[in-house]
Amino acid sequence: MPSALSNMMNELMRDQHRPTTPPSGQGKADEIRSYYKQGLQQLRGTRNMHPEARRVEIARLYATTQAALKKVQQDQLKADRETFAKLDRQLWGYDDVRANAYSSAERAAVDGTVRDAQDRAAKLKKPDEAARALSAAEQGGDKVLVRAIAKRAHDMSWDHIVDGYLSTRPTEAERYQQAGEIYARQHTPNGVMAHQFSGALSKPDELHDLSDDDVHAMVNPTDDAA
């Protein structure tokens, strides 16, 4: 196998063990496909290589690229889930409030306050009612109740209330946007399609008559024999 192509394939294999974060997932997939195209061009342009040997090396390149792209998909999904859980807790949790409680009695009091706020927010049935309650809580400086009402508005899709809540909180607004982007990637048709595409790879003409199982057997004949 040409040394340059061998280096590219080794790089692909190493990349399978590196974590992928949401912002870099698509970029990593594009980089892998770029290596793949370069590898195909190099193999097809290499003279004095037996056609069957070339076909085996193309199969190896294809299988390695497929594995690398699948790993990118898995890392993207894992990172999205972890990031979304973290953002959701930062947006609607009360870790920051509990952090100011230094004794068990204070923590119990905070937990009671949180439960009371959540119970009060859950009783809000109409958006105008929630808007008034949010305004009163804001004026009273009750940030626990404010957050509980904002969460209720979010759950009920009272977007104008959520927008008002976020308009004075740039950090929360940024987190909310990030969480929304992750949700869209995981749950909307366009997002799901884009995720599926990130792992798609066109089979080269040299392998058009082979299934993926056939390609695997060609690349790993000992596995097939076992």
Side-chain angles (χ1 to χ4, degrees), residues 14 40-41 58 69 74 88 90 99-100 116 123 180 202:
R14 285 195 296 271
L40 281 179
Q41 290 175 354
I58 288 176
L69 288 174
Q74 293 172 342
D88 188 67
Q90 289 173 333
N100 295 322
D116 178 69
K123 295 176 181 178
S202 299

Side-chain angles (χ1 to χ4, degrees), residues 145-162:
L145 182 56
V146 165
R147 194 174 301 174
I149 295 172
K151 177 63 163 59
R152 173 66 171 172
H154 164 74
D155 292 344
M156 298 299 291
S157 298
W158 297 334
D159 294 340
H160 64 289
I161 297 177
V162 177

